PDB file of all heavy atoms in Angstrom:
ATOM      1  N   MET A   1     175.315 179.567 140.812  1.00  0.00           N
ATOM      2  CA  MET A   1     174.820 178.287 140.742  1.00  0.00           C
ATOM      3  C   MET A   1     175.111 177.644 139.403  1.00  0.00           C
ATOM      4  O   MET A   1     175.468 176.393 139.347  1.00  0.00           O
ATOM      5  CB  MET A   1     173.310 178.254 141.070  1.00  0.00           C
ATOM      6  CG  MET A   1     172.917 178.702 142.449  1.00  0.00           C
ATOM      7  SD  MET A   1     171.173 179.042 142.596  1.00  0.00           S
ATOM      8  CE  MET A   1     170.453 177.398 142.504  1.00  0.00           C
ATOM      9  N   GLU A   2     174.883 178.379 138.345  1.00  0.00           N
ATOM     10  CA  GLU A   2     175.060 177.865 136.950  1.00  0.00           C
ATOM     11  C   GLU A   2     175.818 178.916 136.135  1.00  0.00           C
ATOM     12  O   GLU A   2     175.204 179.763 135.531  1.00  0.00           O
ATOM     13  CB  GLU A   2     173.704 177.515 136.338  1.00  0.00           C
ATOM     14  CG  GLU A   2     172.893 176.466 137.039  1.00  0.00           C
ATOM     15  CD  GLU A   2     173.412 175.045 136.832  1.00  0.00           C
ATOM     16  OE1 GLU A   2     174.417 174.888 136.056  1.00  0.00           O
ATOM     17  OE2 GLU A   2     172.867 174.147 137.403  1.00  0.00           O
ATOM     18  N   PRO A   3     177.163 178.861 136.112  1.00  0.00           N
ATOM     19  CA  PRO A   3     177.946 179.915 135.555  1.00  0.00           C
ATOM     20  C   PRO A   3     177.653 180.172 134.019  1.00  0.00           C
ATOM     21  O   PRO A   3     177.883 181.302 133.538  1.00  0.00           O
ATOM     22  CB  PRO A   3     179.379 179.529 135.772  1.00  0.00           C
ATOM     23  CG  PRO A   3     179.309 178.605 136.928  1.00  0.00           C
ATOM     24  CD  PRO A   3     177.958 177.902 136.852  1.00  0.00           C
ATOM     25  N   GLU A   4     177.218 179.157 133.332  1.00  0.00           N
ATOM     26  CA  GLU A   4     176.998 179.296 131.901  1.00  0.00           C
ATOM     27  C   GLU A   4     175.611 180.006 131.555  1.00  0.00           C
ATOM     28  O   GLU A   4     175.321 180.278 130.405  1.00  0.00           O
ATOM     29  CB  GLU A   4     177.029 177.914 131.184  1.00  0.00           C
ATOM     30  CG  GLU A   4     178.443 177.268 131.210  1.00  0.00           C
ATOM     31  CD  GLU A   4     179.338 177.837 130.169  1.00  0.00           C
ATOM     32  OE1 GLU A   4     178.811 178.429 129.106  1.00  0.00           O
ATOM     33  OE2 GLU A   4     180.582 177.691 130.319  1.00  0.00           O
ATOM     34  N   LEU A   5     174.825 180.115 132.607  1.00  0.00           N
ATOM     35  CA  LEU A   5     173.451 180.596 132.380  1.00  0.00           C
ATOM     36  C   LEU A   5     173.288 182.069 132.350  1.00  0.00           C
ATOM     37  O   LEU A   5     173.869 182.789 133.214  1.00  0.00           O
ATOM     38  CB  LEU A   5     172.509 179.970 133.502  1.00  0.00           C
ATOM     39  CG  LEU A   5     171.037 179.997 133.305  1.00  0.00           C
ATOM     40  CD1 LEU A   5     170.634 179.213 132.054  1.00  0.00           C
ATOM     41  CD2 LEU A   5     170.398 179.371 134.550  1.00  0.00           C
ATOM     42  N   PHE A   6     172.497 182.650 131.423  1.00  0.00           N
ATOM     43  CA  PHE A   6     172.178 184.026 131.411  1.00  0.00           C
ATOM     44  C   PHE A   6     170.726 184.231 131.800  1.00  0.00           C
ATOM     45  O   PHE A   6     169.797 183.533 131.274  1.00  0.00           O
ATOM     46  CB  PHE A   6     172.366 184.618 130.022  1.00  0.00           C
ATOM     47  CG  PHE A   6     171.722 185.986 129.821  1.00  0.00           C
ATOM     48  CD1 PHE A   6     172.338 187.102 130.398  1.00  0.00           C
ATOM     49  CD2 PHE A   6     170.453 186.080 129.192  1.00  0.00           C
ATOM     50  CE1 PHE A   6     171.716 188.309 130.285  1.00  0.00           C
ATOM     51  CE2 PHE A   6     169.864 187.348 129.102  1.00  0.00           C
ATOM     52  CZ  PHE A   6     170.486 188.420 129.604  1.00  0.00           C
ATOM     53  N   CYS A   7     170.466 185.191 132.665  1.00  0.00           N
ATOM     54  CA  CYS A   7     169.000 185.577 132.952  1.00  0.00           C
ATOM     55  C   CYS A   7     169.052 186.878 133.711  1.00  0.00           C
ATOM     56  O   CYS A   7     170.125 187.295 134.238  1.00  0.00           O
ATOM     57  CB  CYS A   7     168.332 184.421 133.749  1.00  0.00           C
ATOM     58  SG  CYS A   7     168.884 184.249 135.422  1.00  0.00           S
ATOM     59  N   LEU A   8     167.870 187.472 133.847  1.00  0.00           N
ATOM     60  CA  LEU A   8     167.714 188.678 134.690  1.00  0.00           C
ATOM     61  C   LEU A   8     167.210 188.289 136.096  1.00  0.00           C
ATOM     62  O   LEU A   8     167.199 189.150 136.952  1.00  0.00           O
ATOM     63  CB  LEU A   8     166.750 189.647 133.994  1.00  0.00           C
ATOM     64  CG  LEU A   8     167.044 190.144 132.599  1.00  0.00           C
ATOM     65  CD1 LEU A   8     166.057 191.052 132.088  1.00  0.00           C
ATOM     66  CD2 LEU A   8     168.450 190.698 132.554  1.00  0.00           C
ATOM     67  N   GLY A   9     166.762 187.132 136.282  1.00  0.00           N
ATOM     68  CA  GLY A   9     166.306 186.576 137.521  1.00  0.00           C
ATOM     69  C   GLY A   9     165.643 185.283 137.327  1.00  0.00           C
ATOM     70  O   GLY A   9     165.475 184.860 136.142  1.00  0.00           O
ATOM     71  N   ALA A  10     165.358 184.530 138.341  1.00  0.00           N
ATOM     72  CA  ALA A  10     164.851 183.184 138.204  1.00  0.00           C
ATOM     73  C   ALA A  10     164.025 182.763 139.466  1.00  0.00           C
ATOM     74  O   ALA A  10     164.077 183.373 140.529  1.00  0.00           O
ATOM     75  CB  ALA A  10     166.026 182.229 138.002  1.00  0.00           C
ATOM     76  N   LEU A  11     163.277 181.708 139.231  1.00  0.00           N
ATOM     77  CA  LEU A  11     162.682 180.999 140.330  1.00  0.00           C
ATOM     78  C   LEU A  11     163.487 179.718 140.588  1.00  0.00           C
ATOM     79  O   LEU A  11     163.915 179.042 139.575  1.00  0.00           O
ATOM     80  CB  LEU A  11     161.204 180.607 140.026  1.00  0.00           C
ATOM     81  CG  LEU A  11     160.226 181.722 139.880  1.00  0.00           C
ATOM     82  CD1 LEU A  11     158.852 181.158 139.555  1.00  0.00           C
ATOM     83  CD2 LEU A  11     160.159 182.523 141.128  1.00  0.00           C
ATOM     84  N   HIS A  12     163.696 179.358 141.821  1.00  0.00           N
ATOM     85  CA  HIS A  12     164.426 178.165 142.171  1.00  0.00           C
ATOM     86  C   HIS A  12     163.469 177.201 142.892  1.00  0.00           C
ATOM     87  O   HIS A  12     162.794 177.523 143.805  1.00  0.00           O
ATOM     88  CB  HIS A  12     165.600 178.491 143.155  1.00  0.00           C
ATOM     89  CG  HIS A  12     166.448 177.290 143.477  1.00  0.00           C
ATOM     90  ND1 HIS A  12     167.066 177.231 144.708  1.00  0.00           N
ATOM     91  CD2 HIS A  12     166.757 176.252 142.791  1.00  0.00           C
ATOM     92  CE1 HIS A  12     167.725 176.069 144.731  1.00  0.00           C
ATOM     93  NE2 HIS A  12     167.550 175.439 143.550  1.00  0.00           N
ATOM     94  N   SER A  13     163.483 175.946 142.354  1.00  0.00           N
ATOM     95  CA  SER A  13     162.685 174.880 142.965  1.00  0.00           C
ATOM     96  C   SER A  13     163.676 173.808 143.416  1.00  0.00           C
ATOM     97  O   SER A  13     164.052 172.923 142.620  1.00  0.00           O
ATOM     98  CB  SER A  13     161.707 174.292 141.950  1.00  0.00           C
ATOM     99  OG  SER A  13     161.070 173.085 142.515  1.00  0.00           O
ATOM    100  N   PRO A  14     164.116 173.872 144.660  1.00  0.00           N
ATOM    101  CA  PRO A  14     165.144 172.939 145.122  1.00  0.00           C
ATOM    102  C   PRO A  14     164.663 171.484 145.258  1.00  0.00           C
ATOM    103  O   PRO A  14     165.514 170.598 145.258  1.00  0.00           O
ATOM    104  CB  PRO A  14     165.540 173.527 146.512  1.00  0.00           C
ATOM    105  CG  PRO A  14     164.378 174.305 146.945  1.00  0.00           C
ATOM    106  CD  PRO A  14     163.757 174.827 145.695  1.00  0.00           C
ATOM    107  N   SER A  15     163.376 171.318 145.326  1.00  0.00           N
ATOM    108  CA  SER A  15     162.890 169.935 145.606  1.00  0.00           C
ATOM    109  C   SER A  15     162.588 169.199 144.290  1.00  0.00           C
ATOM    110  O   SER A  15     162.208 168.019 144.352  1.00  0.00           O
ATOM    111  CB  SER A  15     161.613 169.945 146.447  1.00  0.00           C
ATOM    112  OG  SER A  15     160.616 170.700 145.812  1.00  0.00           O
ATOM    113  N   THR A  16     162.794 169.795 143.163  1.00  0.00           N
ATOM    114  CA  THR A  16     162.500 169.110 141.873  1.00  0.00           C
ATOM    115  C   THR A  16     163.557 168.019 141.707  1.00  0.00           C
ATOM    116  O   THR A  16     164.751 168.149 142.022  1.00  0.00           O
ATOM    117  CB  THR A  16     162.667 170.125 140.714  1.00  0.00           C
ATOM    118  OG1 THR A  16     161.566 171.043 140.774  1.00  0.00           O
ATOM    119  CG2 THR A  16     162.587 169.397 139.350  1.00  0.00           C
ATOM    120  N   GLY A  17     163.155 166.842 141.199  1.00  0.00           N
ATOM    121  CA  GLY A  17     164.012 165.793 140.913  1.00  0.00           C
ATOM    122  C   GLY A  17     163.681 165.074 139.586  1.00  0.00           C
ATOM    123  O   GLY A  17     162.794 165.464 138.860  1.00  0.00           O
ATOM    124  N   ILE A  18     164.465 164.091 139.302  1.00  0.00           N
ATOM    125  CA  ILE A  18     164.273 163.303 138.079  1.00  0.00           C
ATOM    126  C   ILE A  18     164.187 161.833 138.501  1.00  0.00           C
ATOM    127  O   ILE A  18     164.768 161.373 139.534  1.00  0.00           O
ATOM    128  CB  ILE A  18     165.429 163.472 137.046  1.00  0.00           C
ATOM    129  CG1 ILE A  18     166.815 163.216 137.725  1.00  0.00           C
ATOM    130  CG2 ILE A  18     165.328 164.857 136.518  1.00  0.00           C
ATOM    131  CD1 ILE A  18     167.976 163.380 136.697  1.00  0.00           C
ATOM    132  N   ILE A  19     163.483 161.025 137.692  1.00  0.00           N
ATOM    133  CA  ILE A  19     163.376 159.599 137.964  1.00  0.00           C
ATOM    134  C   ILE A  19     163.534 158.844 136.649  1.00  0.00           C
ATOM    135  O   ILE A  19     163.516 159.434 135.579  1.00  0.00           O
ATOM    136  CB  ILE A  19     161.966 159.273 138.559  1.00  0.00           C
ATOM    137  CG1 ILE A  19     160.840 159.586 137.516  1.00  0.00           C
ATOM    138  CG2 ILE A  19     161.708 159.951 139.892  1.00  0.00           C
ATOM    139  CD1 ILE A  19     159.495 158.993 137.872  1.00  0.00           C
ATOM    140  N   ASP A  20     163.643 157.546 136.801  1.00  0.00           N
ATOM    141  CA  ASP A  20     163.632 156.604 135.688  1.00  0.00           C
ATOM    142  C   ASP A  20     162.179 156.339 135.346  1.00  0.00           C
ATOM    143  O   ASP A  20     161.589 155.500 136.047  1.00  0.00           O
ATOM    144  CB  ASP A  20     164.428 155.368 135.968  1.00  0.00           C
ATOM    145  CG  ASP A  20     164.528 154.364 134.771  1.00  0.00           C
ATOM    146  OD1 ASP A  20     163.652 154.421 133.982  1.00  0.00           O
ATOM    147  OD2 ASP A  20     165.535 153.670 134.774  1.00  0.00           O
ATOM    148  N   SER A  21     161.668 156.967 134.319  1.00  0.00           N
ATOM    149  CA  SER A  21     160.179 156.805 134.028  1.00  0.00           C
ATOM    150  C   SER A  21     159.802 155.389 133.674  1.00  0.00           C
ATOM    151  O   SER A  21     158.717 154.883 134.021  1.00  0.00           O
ATOM    152  CB  SER A  21     159.713 157.763 132.949  1.00  0.00           C
ATOM    153  OG  SER A  21     160.475 157.546 131.724  1.00  0.00           O
ATOM    154  N   HIS A  22     160.703 154.679 132.940  1.00  0.00           N
ATOM    155  CA  HIS A  22     160.346 153.301 132.569  1.00  0.00           C
ATOM    156  C   HIS A  22     160.394 152.403 133.832  1.00  0.00           C
ATOM    157  O   HIS A  22     159.560 151.518 133.925  1.00  0.00           O
ATOM    158  CB  HIS A  22     161.419 152.797 131.534  1.00  0.00           C
ATOM    159  CG  HIS A  22     161.274 153.446 130.215  1.00  0.00           C
ATOM    160  ND1 HIS A  22     160.262 153.192 129.315  1.00  0.00           N
ATOM    161  CD2 HIS A  22     161.958 154.484 129.652  1.00  0.00           C
ATOM    162  CE1 HIS A  22     160.338 153.951 128.239  1.00  0.00           C
ATOM    163  NE2 HIS A  22     161.370 154.755 128.411  1.00  0.00           N
ATOM    164  N   ALA A  23     161.290 152.661 134.762  1.00  0.00           N
ATOM    165  CA  ALA A  23     161.231 151.904 135.997  1.00  0.00           C
ATOM    166  C   ALA A  23     160.004 152.168 136.757  1.00  0.00           C
ATOM    167  O   ALA A  23     159.485 151.234 137.383  1.00  0.00           O
ATOM    168  CB  ALA A  23     162.507 152.213 136.845  1.00  0.00           C
ATOM    169  N   LEU A  24     159.549 153.390 136.791  1.00  0.00           N
ATOM    170  CA  LEU A  24     158.307 153.690 137.436  1.00  0.00           C
ATOM    171  C   LEU A  24     157.139 152.938 136.870  1.00  0.00           C
ATOM    172  O   LEU A  24     156.328 152.348 137.630  1.00  0.00           O
ATOM    173  CB  LEU A  24     158.049 155.215 137.341  1.00  0.00           C
ATOM    174  CG  LEU A  24     156.726 155.692 137.942  1.00  0.00           C
ATOM    175  CD1 LEU A  24     156.673 155.493 139.472  1.00  0.00           C
ATOM    176  CD2 LEU A  24     156.468 157.187 137.582  1.00  0.00           C
ATOM    177  N   MET A  25     157.060 152.917 135.542  1.00  0.00           N
ATOM    178  CA  MET A  25     155.975 152.122 134.852  1.00  0.00           C
ATOM    179  C   MET A  25     156.000 150.679 135.143  1.00  0.00           C
ATOM    180  O   MET A  25     154.989 149.989 135.392  1.00  0.00           O
ATOM    181  CB  MET A  25     155.905 152.465 133.402  1.00  0.00           C
ATOM    182  CG  MET A  25     155.482 153.870 133.062  1.00  0.00           C
ATOM    183  SD  MET A  25     155.456 154.249 131.249  1.00  0.00           S
ATOM    184  CE  MET A  25     157.104 154.530 130.891  1.00  0.00           C
ATOM    185  N   LEU A  26     157.237 150.133 135.145  1.00  0.00           N
ATOM    186  CA  LEU A  26     157.366 148.690 135.516  1.00  0.00           C
ATOM    187  C   LEU A  26     156.949 148.424 136.944  1.00  0.00           C
ATOM    188  O   LEU A  26     156.365 147.373 137.246  1.00  0.00           O
ATOM    189  CB  LEU A  26     158.809 148.265 135.334  1.00  0.00           C
ATOM    190  CG  LEU A  26     159.270 148.114 133.850  1.00  0.00           C
ATOM    191  CD1 LEU A  26     160.707 147.810 133.760  1.00  0.00           C
ATOM    192  CD2 LEU A  26     158.513 147.006 133.163  1.00  0.00           C
ATOM    193  N   ALA A  27     157.306 149.363 137.858  1.00  0.00           N
ATOM    194  CA  ALA A  27     156.846 149.207 139.292  1.00  0.00           C
ATOM    195  C   ALA A  27     155.295 149.291 139.410  1.00  0.00           C
ATOM    196  O   ALA A  27     154.656 148.427 140.058  1.00  0.00           O
ATOM    197  CB  ALA A  27     157.430 150.346 140.133  1.00  0.00           C
ATOM    198  N   TYR A  28     154.671 150.203 138.646  1.00  0.00           N
ATOM    199  CA  TYR A  28     153.210 150.272 138.642  1.00  0.00           C
ATOM    200  C   TYR A  28     152.646 148.885 138.069  1.00  0.00           C
ATOM    201  O   TYR A  28     151.689 148.376 138.666  1.00  0.00           O
ATOM    202  CB  TYR A  28     152.728 151.360 137.704  1.00  0.00           C
ATOM    203  CG  TYR A  28     152.797 152.763 138.341  1.00  0.00           C
ATOM    204  CD1 TYR A  28     152.657 153.896 137.480  1.00  0.00           C
ATOM    205  CD2 TYR A  28     153.080 152.979 139.638  1.00  0.00           C
ATOM    206  CE1 TYR A  28     152.740 155.140 137.971  1.00  0.00           C
ATOM    207  CE2 TYR A  28     153.192 154.221 140.216  1.00  0.00           C
ATOM    208  CZ  TYR A  28     152.944 155.312 139.334  1.00  0.00           C
ATOM    209  OH  TYR A  28     153.095 156.644 139.831  1.00  0.00           O
ATOM    210  N   LEU A  29     153.248 148.376 136.995  1.00  0.00           N
ATOM    211  CA  LEU A  29     152.733 147.178 136.416  1.00  0.00           C
ATOM    212  C   LEU A  29     152.873 146.000 137.416  1.00  0.00           C
ATOM    213  O   LEU A  29     151.974 145.184 137.539  1.00  0.00           O
ATOM    214  CB  LEU A  29     153.485 146.848 135.131  1.00  0.00           C
ATOM    215  CG  LEU A  29     153.139 145.572 134.453  1.00  0.00           C
ATOM    216  CD1 LEU A  29     151.641 145.508 134.082  1.00  0.00           C
ATOM    217  CD2 LEU A  29     153.980 145.386 133.152  1.00  0.00           C
ATOM    218  N   GLY A  30     154.012 145.968 138.060  1.00  0.00           N
ATOM    219  CA  GLY A  30     154.248 144.899 139.088  1.00  0.00           C
ATOM    220  C   GLY A  30     153.162 144.959 140.209  1.00  0.00           C
ATOM    221  O   GLY A  30     152.642 143.948 140.608  1.00  0.00           O
ATOM    222  N   ASP A  31     152.922 146.152 140.686  1.00  0.00           N
ATOM    223  CA  ASP A  31     151.936 146.300 141.768  1.00  0.00           C
ATOM    224  C   ASP A  31     150.546 145.882 141.253  1.00  0.00           C
ATOM    225  O   ASP A  31     149.758 145.197 141.922  1.00  0.00           O
ATOM    226  CB  ASP A  31     151.812 147.778 142.258  1.00  0.00           C
ATOM    227  CG  ASP A  31     152.973 148.107 143.122  1.00  0.00           C
ATOM    228  OD1 ASP A  31     153.747 147.218 143.548  1.00  0.00           O
ATOM    229  OD2 ASP A  31     153.175 149.266 143.361  1.00  0.00           O
ATOM    230  N   ALA A  32     150.216 146.281 139.985  1.00  0.00           N
ATOM    231  CA  ALA A  32     148.938 145.915 139.395  1.00  0.00           C
ATOM    232  C   ALA A  32     148.777 144.422 139.248  1.00  0.00           C
ATOM    233  O   ALA A  32     147.780 143.851 139.614  1.00  0.00           O
ATOM    234  CB  ALA A  32     148.760 146.641 138.060  1.00  0.00           C
ATOM    235  N   GLU A  33     149.804 143.767 138.713  1.00  0.00           N
ATOM    236  CA  GLU A  33     149.694 142.346 138.525  1.00  0.00           C
ATOM    237  C   GLU A  33     149.672 141.563 139.825  1.00  0.00           C
ATOM    238  O   GLU A  33     149.032 140.534 139.954  1.00  0.00           O
ATOM    239  CB  GLU A  33     150.871 141.865 137.682  1.00  0.00           C
ATOM    240  CG  GLU A  33     150.783 142.311 136.207  1.00  0.00           C
ATOM    241  CD  GLU A  33     152.015 141.899 135.377  1.00  0.00           C
ATOM    242  OE1 GLU A  33     153.088 141.597 136.035  1.00  0.00           O
ATOM    243  OE2 GLU A  33     151.909 141.848 134.179  1.00  0.00           O
ATOM    244  N   ALA A  34     150.306 142.126 140.834  1.00  0.00           N
ATOM    245  CA  ALA A  34     150.264 141.547 142.225  1.00  0.00           C
ATOM    246  C   ALA A  34     148.880 141.555 142.772  1.00  0.00           C
ATOM    247  O   ALA A  34     148.564 140.731 143.651  1.00  0.00           O
ATOM    248  CB  ALA A  34     151.280 142.215 143.116  1.00  0.00           C
ATOM    249  N   HIS A  35     148.054 142.446 142.268  1.00  0.00           N
ATOM    250  CA  HIS A  35     146.660 142.561 142.761  1.00  0.00           C
ATOM    251  C   HIS A  35     145.669 142.053 141.779  1.00  0.00           C
ATOM    252  O   HIS A  35     144.434 142.349 141.809  1.00  0.00           O
ATOM    253  CB  HIS A  35     146.275 144.026 143.062  1.00  0.00           C
ATOM    254  CG  HIS A  35     146.961 144.559 144.339  1.00  0.00           C
ATOM    255  ND1 HIS A  35     148.322 144.975 144.336  1.00  0.00           N
ATOM    256  CD2 HIS A  35     146.593 144.704 145.605  1.00  0.00           C
ATOM    257  CE1 HIS A  35     148.607 145.355 145.567  1.00  0.00           C
ATOM    258  NE2 HIS A  35     147.592 145.178 146.363  1.00  0.00           N
ATOM    259  N   GLY A  36     146.131 141.208 140.832  1.00  0.00           N
ATOM    260  CA  GLY A  36     145.209 140.502 139.965  1.00  0.00           C
ATOM    261  C   GLY A  36     145.027 141.083 138.578  1.00  0.00           C
ATOM    262  O   GLY A  36     144.247 140.583 137.793  1.00  0.00           O
ATOM    263  N   ALA A  37     145.680 142.226 138.257  1.00  0.00           N
ATOM    264  CA  ALA A  37     145.447 142.875 136.972  1.00  0.00           C
ATOM    265  C   ALA A  37     146.254 142.132 135.876  1.00  0.00           C
ATOM    266  O   ALA A  37     147.181 141.372 136.177  1.00  0.00           O
ATOM    267  CB  ALA A  37     145.869 144.276 137.014  1.00  0.00           C
ATOM    268  N   MET A  38     145.812 142.366 134.675  1.00  0.00           N
ATOM    269  CA  MET A  38     146.471 141.736 133.491  1.00  0.00           C
ATOM    270  C   MET A  38     146.689 142.819 132.462  1.00  0.00           C
ATOM    271  O   MET A  38     145.767 143.628 132.136  1.00  0.00           O
ATOM    272  CB  MET A  38     145.639 140.612 132.917  1.00  0.00           C
ATOM    273  CG  MET A  38     146.259 139.929 131.680  1.00  0.00           C
ATOM    274  SD  MET A  38     145.115 138.649 130.997  1.00  0.00           S
ATOM    275  CE  MET A  38     145.091 137.546 132.351  1.00  0.00           C
ATOM    276  N   LEU A  39     147.899 142.894 131.857  1.00  0.00           N
ATOM    277  CA  LEU A  39     148.199 143.792 130.834  1.00  0.00           C
ATOM    278  C   LEU A  39     147.995 143.145 129.470  1.00  0.00           C
ATOM    279  O   LEU A  39     148.583 142.051 129.175  1.00  0.00           O
ATOM    280  CB  LEU A  39     149.629 144.329 130.882  1.00  0.00           C
ATOM    281  CG  LEU A  39     150.153 145.218 129.777  1.00  0.00           C
ATOM    282  CD1 LEU A  39     149.378 146.535 129.762  1.00  0.00           C
ATOM    283  CD2 LEU A  39     151.610 145.447 129.941  1.00  0.00           C
ATOM    284  N   ALA A  40     147.199 143.680 128.607  1.00  0.00           N
ATOM    285  CA  ALA A  40     146.963 143.122 127.311  1.00  0.00           C
ATOM    286  C   ALA A  40     147.335 144.143 126.222  1.00  0.00           C
ATOM    287  O   ALA A  40     146.539 145.106 126.002  1.00  0.00           O
ATOM    288  CB  ALA A  40     145.460 142.715 127.115  1.00  0.00           C
ATOM    289  N   LEU A  41     148.472 143.962 125.563  1.00  0.00           N
ATOM    290  CA  LEU A  41     148.915 144.858 124.535  1.00  0.00           C
ATOM    291  C   LEU A  41     148.402 144.483 123.206  1.00  0.00           C
ATOM    292  O   LEU A  41     147.949 143.378 123.014  1.00  0.00           O
ATOM    293  CB  LEU A  41     150.433 144.914 124.538  1.00  0.00           C
ATOM    294  CG  LEU A  41     151.142 145.314 125.858  1.00  0.00           C
ATOM    295  CD1 LEU A  41     152.640 145.164 125.697  1.00  0.00           C
ATOM    296  CD2 LEU A  41     150.797 146.733 126.205  1.00  0.00           C
ATOM    297  N   LYS A  42     148.388 145.416 122.270  1.00  0.00           N
ATOM    298  CA  LYS A  42     147.976 145.185 120.869  1.00  0.00           C
ATOM    299  C   LYS A  42     146.605 144.562 120.861  1.00  0.00           C
ATOM    300  O   LYS A  42     146.341 143.643 120.091  1.00  0.00           O
ATOM    301  CB  LYS A  42     149.020 144.274 120.144  1.00  0.00           C
ATOM    302  CG  LYS A  42     150.414 144.859 120.014  1.00  0.00           C
ATOM    303  CD  LYS A  42     151.377 144.003 119.211  1.00  0.00           C
ATOM    304  CE  LYS A  42     152.696 144.658 119.152  1.00  0.00           C
ATOM    305  NZ  LYS A  42     153.657 143.813 118.375  1.00  0.00           N
ATOM    306  N   SER A  43     145.724 145.161 121.621  1.00  0.00           N
ATOM    307  CA  SER A  43     144.339 144.670 121.781  1.00  0.00           C
ATOM    308  C   SER A  43     143.421 145.897 121.557  1.00  0.00           C
ATOM    309  O   SER A  43     142.826 146.403 122.526  1.00  0.00           O
ATOM    310  CB  SER A  43     144.074 143.997 123.105  1.00  0.00           C
ATOM    311  OG  SER A  43     144.970 142.969 123.293  1.00  0.00           O
TER     312      SER A  43
END
């Protein structure tokens, strides 16, 4: 699977993934504002 890797054994998690964390936070903010929330920074 990974020719450069050394180990005696491993666990495989095939369902692990990566996301754009900043896009996730913007999506959360958009949902919150759509429901009447307000973000107040530097407060």
Side-chain angles (χ1 to χ4, degrees):
M1 296 167 68
E2 299 286 357
E4 293 279 340
L5 193 61
F6 165 78
C7 70
L8 300 182
L11 294 179
H12 183 213
S13 171
S15 59
T16 293
I18 54 178
I19 64 167
D20 183 332
S21 58
H22 292 283
L24 175 66
M25 289 184 279
L26 287 173
Y28 284 167
L29 177 59
D31 285 348
E33 290 178 338
H35 288 80
M38 179 184 296
L39 175 65
L41 302 175
K42 298 183 179 179
S43 304

